[in-house]
């Protein structure tokens, strides 16, 4: 049975006990899936699953009261967000049903756009997209072009260690049991540049920020919402001025508040309308968390996030070493 | 030492602020670059204080609290230690020398140690020189970089 049908069957089975199930459905064009909210069996036809199912639907879990019974379809990386939310008691285990599947990966539409431009095609005009094994076939204006999938996977998929959901109540399909390496080479490469160049890089990048806070709103672990300190006036952490310092201050807030919690779903960066590579800041913190505390966020629902804990004798902190 | 730089010290009320006071009472001379902000506990120090201060133009930030196991509130400095270590390690990725931020422990009786800490840290900041303020002359910096790559 195709995996989508298996998923539909699994959801149909659990639907009677749930208020809503969140999955992906067809979007506004051939290259987009959009979140769909399933409340009846008739809605099941809307479901889609595949390399365009990019959104991390765990983001929606904290938008409902904790008493609602919610089902959510998750990729491996998204499942870590659910686990992290459980670790922080932001959701109720009894009221959430997790549907997992073996995720092959998602495409980075920026890469699709660039690849198409390379062939003189426009992404906005793609009327049909099919993904088959190693290749992706795209039709624009009656003309079909084919691109190798290897060039299109999101960066996070190329270093994915959790294709299969780390936690699920219903798992459909065969586990992939695949695991790439991730030694944070991107962070190391960036930090090999001179300090002034790193600062100039962020200044230049952040000068494009329009302070839409899409990065925050897409993040499954940014749960303060209306209480976000970026928008409080007392204290006034970030002023209304439009300087690059204000914009960057927000990214430092986001990175700091996600330290030891960020599950690297990459949604912050994907949601950014001006393509600022802000995942790098979060990966930097994750690299340090891994080195210092031997910890990855969102793996074990019982584990305590390292910045909510301490040891009287810290093994790897040398606080007097300067 | 050359022209005074701006160093901000976040000190806990119970140990380090007392330690700085002891140093003053004992007339241990110190460089005058440090401006002290007194806080109830090192656990009150939000890592964002450090980031905001450094990107806001301070040349250095020093945090000092009670020695581990001596916290007035038992655990404040234990939590602080993890957060402060994280913020120190974060600085390089945003292009700030991690040497501009240090944290340490000084008790109320350690006037001498306070003098050593302030002298050492002030020297370290002077060796690094004034900070390049984030966001200031962004265009000029970018142009300069572009030129150096050309
Ligand atoms: S990172 Fe892994 S689980 Fe997440 S979308 Fe990519 S392949 Fe799927
Ligand atoms: S900070 Fe970005 S990568 Fe991390 S959990 Fe939030 S959206 Fe995902
Ligand atoms: S999504 Fe991008 S443009 Fe919007 S606030 Fe975040 S960094 Fe700025």
């Amino acid at each position: 049975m195709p995996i989508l049908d298996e998923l539909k069957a699994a959801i149909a089975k659990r639907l009677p006990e749930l208020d809503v199930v969140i999955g992906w459905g067809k979007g506004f064009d051939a290259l987009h899936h959009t979140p769909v909210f399933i409340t009846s069996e008739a809605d099941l036809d809307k479901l889609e699953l595949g390399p365009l199912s990019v959104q991390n639907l765990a983001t929606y879990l904290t938008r409902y009261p904790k008493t609602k019974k919610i089902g959510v379809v998750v990729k491996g990386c998204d499942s870590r967000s659910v686990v992290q939310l459980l670790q922080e008691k932001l959701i109720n285990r009894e009221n959430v049903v997790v549907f997992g599947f073996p995720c092959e990966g998602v495409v980075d539409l920026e890469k699709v756009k660039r690849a198409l431009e390379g062939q003189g095609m426009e992404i906005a005009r793609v009327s049909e997209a099919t993904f088959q094994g190693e290749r992706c076939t795209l039709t624009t204006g009656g003309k079909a072009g084919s691109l190798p999938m290897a060039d299109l996977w999101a960066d996070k998929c190329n270093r994915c260690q959790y294709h299969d959901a780390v936690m699920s109540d219903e798992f459909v399909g065969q586990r992939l049991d695949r695991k790439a390496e991730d030694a944070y080479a991107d962070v190391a490469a960036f930090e090999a540049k001179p300090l002034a160049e790193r600062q100039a890089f962020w200044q230049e990048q952040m000068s494009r920020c329009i302070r839409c806070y899409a990065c925050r709103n897409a993040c499954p672990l940014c749960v303060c919402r209306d209480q976000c300190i970026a928008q409080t006036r007392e204290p006034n952490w970030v002023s209304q001025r439009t300087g690059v310092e204000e914009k960057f201050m927000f990214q430092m807030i986001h990175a700091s508040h996600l330290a030891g919690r960020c599950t690297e779903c990459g949604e912050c960066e994907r949601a950014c309308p001006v393509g600022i590579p802000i995942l790098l800041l979060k990966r930097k913190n994750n690299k340090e968390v891994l080195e210092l505390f031997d910890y990855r966020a969102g793996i074990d629902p019982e584990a305590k996030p390292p910045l909510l804990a301490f040891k009287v004798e810290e093994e790897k902190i040398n606080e007097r070493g300067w | 030492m050359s022209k005074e730089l701006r160093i901000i010290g976040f000190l806990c009320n119970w140990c380090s602020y007392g330690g700085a006071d002891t140093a003053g009472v004992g007339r241990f001379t110190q460089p005058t670059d440090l401006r002290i902000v007194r806080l109830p506990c090192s656990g009150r120090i939000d890592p964002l204080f450090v980031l905001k201060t450094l990107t806001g133009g301070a040349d250095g930030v020093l945090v000092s609290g009670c020695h581990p196991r001596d916290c007035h509130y038992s655990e404040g400095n234990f939590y602080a230690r993890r957060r402060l270590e994280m913020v120190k390690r974060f600085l390089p990725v945003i292009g700030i020398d991690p040497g501009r931020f240090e944290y340490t422990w000084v008790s109320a009786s350690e006037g001498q140690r306070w003098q050593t800490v302030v002298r050492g840290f002030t020297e370290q900041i002077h060796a690094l020189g004034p900070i390049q303020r984030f966001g200031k002359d962004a265009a000029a910096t970018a142009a300069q970089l572009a030129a150096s790559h050309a």
Side-chain angles (χ1 to χ4, degrees), chain A residues 205-206 208-216 247 250-251 254 268-278:
Chain A
Q205 291 288 332
M206 292 312 301
R208 294 202 309 280
C209 171
I210 53 172
R211 277 176 79 177
C212 62
Y213 295 142
C215 46
R216 176 194 69 186
K247 299 170 178 187
F250 178 67
Q251 288 313 324
H254 196 177
C268 46
E269 184 165 312
R270 185 190 62 80
C272 177
V274 293
I276 303 176
I278 42 185

Side-chain angles (χ1 to χ4, degrees), chain A residues 4-24:
Chain A
L4 180 59
D5 292 334
E6 264 187 69
L7 178 65
K8 285 180 183 171
I11 295 178
K13 189 179 84 186
R14 302 297 295 259
L15 198 53
E17 53 177 296
L18 296 168
D19 291 311
V20 63
V21 177
I22 314 166
W24 300 274

Side-chain angles (χ1 to χ4, degrees), chain A residues 190-191 198-200 202-203 237 244-245 248 284 288 293 306 309 311-314 317 319-320 322, chain B residues 48 51-52 67 69 78 81-82 86 89-90 92-95 102-103 105 124 132 134-135 138 145:
Chain A
F190 183 71
E191 293 195 315
R198 284 175 243 167
Q199 190 181 335
W202 289 115
Q203 281 184 184
W237 275 100
V244 79
E245 317 91 286
F248 196 53
K284 164 64 178 172
E288 300 307 328
F293 309 116
K311 280 187 187 158
V312 173
E313 303 292 338
E314 297 284 359
I317 297 180
E319 71 258 49
R320 289 190 185 77
W322 60 280
Chain B
L48 293 171
L51 295 169
K52 180 108 180 155
H67 289 275
R69 294 174 202 270
F78 289 137
R81 184 167 55 188
R82 285 194 165 189
M86 280 299 295
R89 286 167 175 245
F90 180 70
V93 82
I94 58 171
E102 299 291 358
Y103 62 99
W105 322 115
Q124 183 169 316
Q132 157 76 44
F134 197 91
L145 273 170

Side-chain angles (χ1 to χ4, degrees), chain A residues 56 59 81 215-216 218-222 254-255 258 261-269 278-279 282 286:
Chain A
N56 181 352
T59 301
S81 311
C215 46
R216 176 194 69 186
C219 176
L221 294 155
C222 270
H254 196 177
L258 269 293
R261 306 173 61 231
C262 167
T263 51
E264 290 189 38
C265 63
E267 283 291 273
C268 46
E269 184 165 312
I278 42 185
L279 186 57
K282 283 101 184 191
N286 278 358

Side-chain angles (χ1 to χ4, degrees), chain A residues 35-73:
Chain A
V36 291
F37 299 80
I38 293 162
T39 51
S40 71
E41 281 218 22
D43 292 338
L44 287 173
D45 290 340
K46 295 181 190 161
L47 271 180
E48 297 282 342
L49 197 62
L52 297 175
S53 302
V54 289
Q55 298 92 345
N56 181 352
L57 306 174
T59 301
Y60 293 103
L61 292 176
T62 49
R63 309 210 173 188
Y64 289 93
K66 273 189 182 173
T67 48
K68 282 258 188 244
K69 297 207 178 285
I70 310 171
V72 63
V73 188

Side-chain angles (χ1 to χ4, degrees), chain A residues 161-224:
Chain A
Q161 325 208 343
Y162 307 96
H163 291 272
D164 309 316
V166 295
M167 178 209 88
S168 56
D169 300 295
E170 303 286 339
F171 193 89
V172 298
Q174 288 293 312
R175 285 177 194 274
L176 283 169
D177 281 326
R178 204 190 294 155
K179 206 171 164 76
E181 286 298 314
D182 182 8
Y184 290 101
D186 51 338
V187 179
F190 183 71
E191 293 195 315
K193 296 178 189 200
L195 273 178
E197 203 170 310
R198 284 175 243 167
Q199 190 181 335
F201 172 83
W202 289 115
Q203 281 184 184
E204 200 263 314
Q205 291 288 332
M206 292 312 301
S207 65
R208 294 202 309 280
C209 171
I210 53 172
R211 277 176 79 177
C212 62
Y213 295 142
C215 46
R216 176 194 69 186
N217 293 7
C219 176
L221 294 155
C222 270
V223 291
C224 305

